[in-house]
Amino acid sequence: MTGNTGNARNVIFSETFEKESLRNWTNNLDWKHKGKNVTKPGKEICCDHSVQLDDSVAREGRYAARFTLRKDDPLASNSKRAELRLGAVPTKSEYWYGFSIYLPPGYVKDPSFDIVTQWNARPDFKLGEKWRSPQLALMTANGEWHVHRRWDHREVTKNNKPAGRETINLGTYQTGGWTDWVFRVKWSYEADGLVEVWKNGKLVVRKTGPNTYNDEVGPFQKFGVYKTHWKNHPEKSKANVRVLYFDSIRMGDASASYTDVAP
């Protein structure tokens, strides 16, 4: 992976948006397997307003990334989204992920969920698989944070119906301030998997067991706003625009620690 590598030895990607550009993020997908990078950091956006640097709020330094998704935006990657994407990792691997999210005062409650961070994976198309919902996602809905998990030990997940799924309510979200997140994941579709989540320095989720799909190419993380209801069921949403900010994005390998990636 490329990026602004942090000082921590085990941080393999770091982005604080202080270079005053988004040049670390291309629009290219690269699904070459067996190579070191099966994807490259990229964008999944429709428009110039989808993601921009902003100096009005920042978690560290001067700039943050502002994501804007409008209900009438054209589709990006076949859905309503404004996201930046990191590269994929092996299915059997361990990584640490840190980032901070700012929800502005205008981020109104909406019964329709927003995925603000997700880990998805390329289906095994040669086996007949199609794209599925993410195996791990941080969402907002009805004024609350939620972590949604999905997993499947089978080689093929049919009709987007995995062997298991779970949604965890993490309580009311606060607007007008930054919320810091750290995820530690031992990716596995078997019993040796692990998901740990810290919110503002407090461990709020710890789940052992399977946590991903049985895929040849492993999960990749995306940041921003993904609102599938605006494509398929717009009547479920009361909102017409979503704006939020990201900063202090870091990713560490299995040798990293909470301190290495925490905002």
Side-chain angles (χ1 to χ4, degrees):
M1 293 183 185
T2 60
N4 303 322
T5 304
N7 293 325
R9 180 178 57 187
N10 302 313
V11 172
I12 59 176
F13 185 91
S14 178
E15 176 66 273
T16 59
F17 304 104
E18 296 307 302
K19 295 293 185 179
E20 300 185 34
S21 79
L22 294 170
R23 63 176 177 267
N24 287 334
W25 312 86
T26 69
N27 283 313
N28 298 322
L29 282 170
D30 179 9
W31 294 112
K32 293 179 180 178
H33 190 40
K34 305 299 183 182
K36 293 184 179 179
N37 294 318
V38 291
T39 62
K40 298 177 181 178
K43 304 172 188 173
E44 296 185 25
I45 63 175
C46 72
C47 314
D48 290 341
H49 65 254
S50 299
V51 57
Q52 296 180 337
L53 297 183
D54 193 300
D55 63 359
S56 64
V57 295
R59 177 62 177 84
E60 60 180 286
R62 180 181 176 186
Y63 292 97
R66 183 182 74 245
F67 294 83
T68 302
L69 183 66
R70 300 168 182 165
K71 200 170 189 176
D72 59 357
D73 277 346
L75 300 183
S77 298
N78 199 37
S79 195
K80 297 284 188 174
R81 68 175 83 234
E83 295 179 299
L84 297 179
R85 181 194 64 248
L86 289 182
V89 302
T91 298
K92 289 278 192 171
S93 61
E94 179 181 350
Y95 287 89
W96 290 78
Y97 307 86
F99 52 92
S100 193
I101 302 176
Y102 180 90
L103 302 179
Y107 195 89
V108 299
K109 295 180 181 179
D110 193 5
S112 169
F113 67 88
D114 301 81
I115 293 180
V116 297
T117 298
Q118 63 167 301
W119 288 262
N120 211 328
R122 177 182 182 269
D124 292 328
F125 293 116
K126 66 183 181 181
L127 300 179
E129 271 191 329
K130 298 181 179 179
W131 284 101
R132 306 139 303 182
S133 299
Q135 59 261 62
L136 182 61
L138 177 64
M139 309 185 301
T140 63
N142 282 321
E144 298 173 325
W145 295 108
H146 299 265
V147 167
H148 184 66
R149 307 193 311 119
R150 298 163 66 90
W151 58 90
D152 202 339
H153 64 280
R154 298 170 297 185
E155 285 191 339
V156 176
T157 301
K158 297 181 179 180
N159 301 317
N160 200 24
K161 295 181 179 180
R165 68 182 76 184
E166 177 185 28
T167 299
I168 305 167
N169 189 316
L170 296 183
T172 303
Y173 63 63
Q174 303 298 320
T175 61
W178 289 94
T179 303
D180 295 337
W181 296 95
V182 171
F183 282 67
R184 178 194 181 193
V185 188
K186 294 181 180 179
W187 296 109
S188 178
Y189 49 85
E190 298 177 314
D192 56 345
L194 172 69
V195 176
E196 293 179 322
V197 182
W198 287 261
K199 174 188 172 188
N200 291 331
K202 180 181 179 181
L203 182 66
V204 292
V205 174
R206 190 179 194 277
K207 295 286 183 175
T208 58
N211 55 40
T212 191
Y213 299 117
N214 184 353
D215 292 328
E216 185 177 15
V217 177
F220 53 90
Q221 187 181 14
K222 298 199 287 185
F223 312 86
V225 190
Y226 172 52
K227 201 164 179 66
T228 184
H229 280 162
W230 279 358
K231 176 188 175 183
N232 300 315
H233 299 285
E235 73 282 357
K236 292 185 177 182
S237 175
K238 297 179 180 180
N240 292 313
V241 64
R242 276 306 201 213
V243 178
L244 54 78
Y245 300 76
F246 272 82
D247 203 354
S248 305
I249 296 171
R250 294 183 178 88
M251 179 179 174
D253 61 20
S255 299
S257 67
Y258 174 93
T259 304
D260 291 334
V261 301

